[in-house]
Amino acid sequence: MPVREHEIDALARHFVEGLKARGAIVPKADIEALIACVVELMSANFELETQIDEEADRMAEAEARKHPSLDVSRLRTLIKQRIAQRKDFPL
């Protein structure tokens, strides 16, 4: 299930405000602008993960049709790991 926009906004706000409250960061720009940047990065990350999931699903299903005895769930996980590695995406 994809992450909703308001969930990403809330997570980014919690992340940035938490870092600021602990003194881990001292924003030089407007905090809202910083939160917007984090939202943008997180959204792109979730989108790429969704694309990797969809590609892994398609590939696993195609292989399962060729070889019905394969464990599709395990195959999907392995394919997802390979795709993520190829795209330099940490899982």
Side-chain angles (χ1 to χ4, degrees), residues 3-85:
V3 178
R4 293 186 176 100
E5 192 173 320
H6 72 276
E7 293 172 320
I8 294 172
D9 289 341
L11 184 58
R13 181 170 300 283
H14 177 74
F15 177 70
V16 171
E17 289 176 352
L19 288 174
K20 183 180 176 200
R22 286 190 303 277
I25 62 169
V26 178
K28 293 183 180 181
D30 176 50
I31 192 129
E32 293 301 318
L34 180 57
I35 291 169
C37 288
V38 172
V39 166
E40 196 173 313
L41 288 170
M42 291 174 73
S43 294
N45 187 285
F46 285 124
E47 177 61 33
L48 181 54
E49 185 173 14
T50 298
Q51 291 171 2
I52 290 170
D53 283 339
E54 290 169 356
E55 186 176 348
D57 286 343
R58 284 191 305 274
M59 292 174 74
E61 288 172 16
E63 284 301 313
R65 281 194 287 287
K66 293 178 197 173
H67 309 285
S69 63
L70 290 175
D71 178 355
V72 179
S73 178
R74 174 85 174 123
L75 181 61
R76 182 190 174 284
T77 300
L78 292 172
I79 290 171
K80 183 177 176 179
Q81 289 171 349
R82 290 274 171 97
I83 294 169
Q85 185 178 29

